[in-house]
Amino acid sequence: MAIPEAQLETWSHQGAIQGSSTTYNAVKNLLEAKSTPYADRNYQIFLQGSYGNDTNIYSESDVDVVILMKDCFYSGLEGLSDVEKEAWKSAHNDATYTYTTFKKNVLSVLNAAYGKDVEAGDKAIMIDAGGSRRKTDVIASVEFRRYYKFNGFQDQSYEEGICFFNSAGERIANYPKQHSANLTRVHQSSCGWLKPMVRIWKNMRTKLVSDGVIKAGLAPSYYIEGLLYNVPAEKFGGSYADSFVNVFNWIQKEADKNKLVCANEQYYLLRDNAHTCWPQANCDEFLEAVAQLWKGWVASP
């Protein structure tokens, strides 16, 4: 028995946003205070993740905040020729205000405000929920530039993203602004179907985890968004059931999975042993579980 349209419609709804909005504004105002150690630096604060992309579901209440330092940057020079690499090295000096110092400063601000509710995790600084505050992850990051050309400051080309380091010291570069903008663009081209369908798939994921069918963390929201981002706009529409079947069949029967990209269009979606990619086996396991949930649906008594 397929999942009824009424259940899919329920799953399509966005989770509550008032608490998330209040939490974000409180954290943002704290990080923007004139008393912070980096107050005179060039930085930006913005949302990423499900709440920031309007794809959050009721079981997701986390707020993902990025504070981006733009006074220094890291570079990806793999796309440059040897001559361009030398030109780039000759034109740049090492920064005096570093990522390590910036993250320590951000952590000190959060610790002063939230005390024991703050923990420095592998990638993000985590703030536990408390009172009306939602659980919050703060990513302290610096600008990242993936260069495509460099012949001097007047003749250069690069894609701007963010980067940060995990606890093992590994640099992770990502492109949350491109992810958000691209997701919204495709949502609009699908006549408003994409984001509700993402929420349906994420609710299916949540049920599969709750039922013990798949492990938590097998299908992160970021990758579900990326998976459906690749689906042609004409596969959406009619009804939620029609959309699900058409989207699922395209992914399984028509897509060249090796060419699927993340919504930021800077990385392939499915690759093994990469911080920014979804392992193929995890994706396959998730899709098989989704298929079985669809085929074997049994309504709650």
Side-chain angles (χ1 to χ4, degrees), residues 125-254:
I125 301 169
M126 299 174 292
I127 309 170
D128 284 341
S132 62
R133 185 181 68 241
R134 300 284 178 87
K135 182 180 180 300
T136 307
D137 287 344
V138 177
I139 293 283
S141 65
V142 295
E143 185 176 321
F144 181 79
R145 298 179 180 180
R146 175 184 279 179
Y147 280 88
Y148 302 110
K149 179 174 68 172
F150 190 89
N151 296 305
F153 292 121
Q154 304 305 315
D155 186 19
Q156 61 177 328
S157 175
Y158 59 84
E159 189 75 27
E160 182 179 315
I162 72 170
C163 75
F164 52 91
F165 292 80
N166 63 16
S167 56
E170 298 167 310
R171 187 181 73 192
I172 301 171
N174 219 325
Y175 302 83
K177 291 184 178 181
Q178 291 88 331
H179 178 105
S180 181
N182 289 345
L183 203 67
T184 296
R185 173 178 53 80
V186 174
H187 174 68
Q188 292 169 347
S189 70
S190 71
C191 298
W193 284 89
L194 174 62
K195 291 185 179 182
M197 283 306 301
V198 167
R199 293 193 286 266
I200 287 171
W201 280 65
K202 288 167 67 173
N203 272 298
M204 295 176 78
R205 181 273 319 275
T206 298
K207 178 170 175 54
L208 290 166
V209 172
S210 177
D211 291 348
V213 178
I214 63 174
K215 293 181 179 179
L218 181 83
S221 296
Y222 174 84
Y223 295 130
I224 294 176
E225 291 176 3
L227 183 66
L228 270 65
Y229 171 79
N230 287 269
V231 179
E234 63 269 18
K235 301 299 180 181
F236 297 91
S239 69
Y240 289 124
D242 289 342
S243 292
F244 174 82
V245 171
N246 291 336
V247 165
F248 185 88
N249 286 341
W250 182 85
I251 293 170
Q252 288 293 63
K253 298 178 181 179
E254 299 181 52

Side-chain angles (χ1 to χ4, degrees), residues 230 255-262 267-271:
N230 287 269
D256 182 346
K257 291 182 182 176
N258 198 49
K259 294 182 179 179
L260 298 179
V261 296
C262 292
Y267 299 114
Y268 285 111
L269 179 68
L270 302 175
R271 292 291 188 275

Side-chain angles (χ1 to χ4, degrees), residues 25-42:
N25 287 325
V27 173
K28 183 173 185 288
N29 289 339
L30 175 67
L31 293 173
E32 288 178 336
K34 294 182 179 180
S35 58
T36 66
Y38 50 82
D40 60 344
R41 300 287 176 176
N42 179 20

Side-chain angles (χ1 to χ4, degrees), residues 13 73 98 106 111 152 246 281:
H13 295 167
F73 62 89
T98 65
V106 172
N111 274 325
N246 291 336

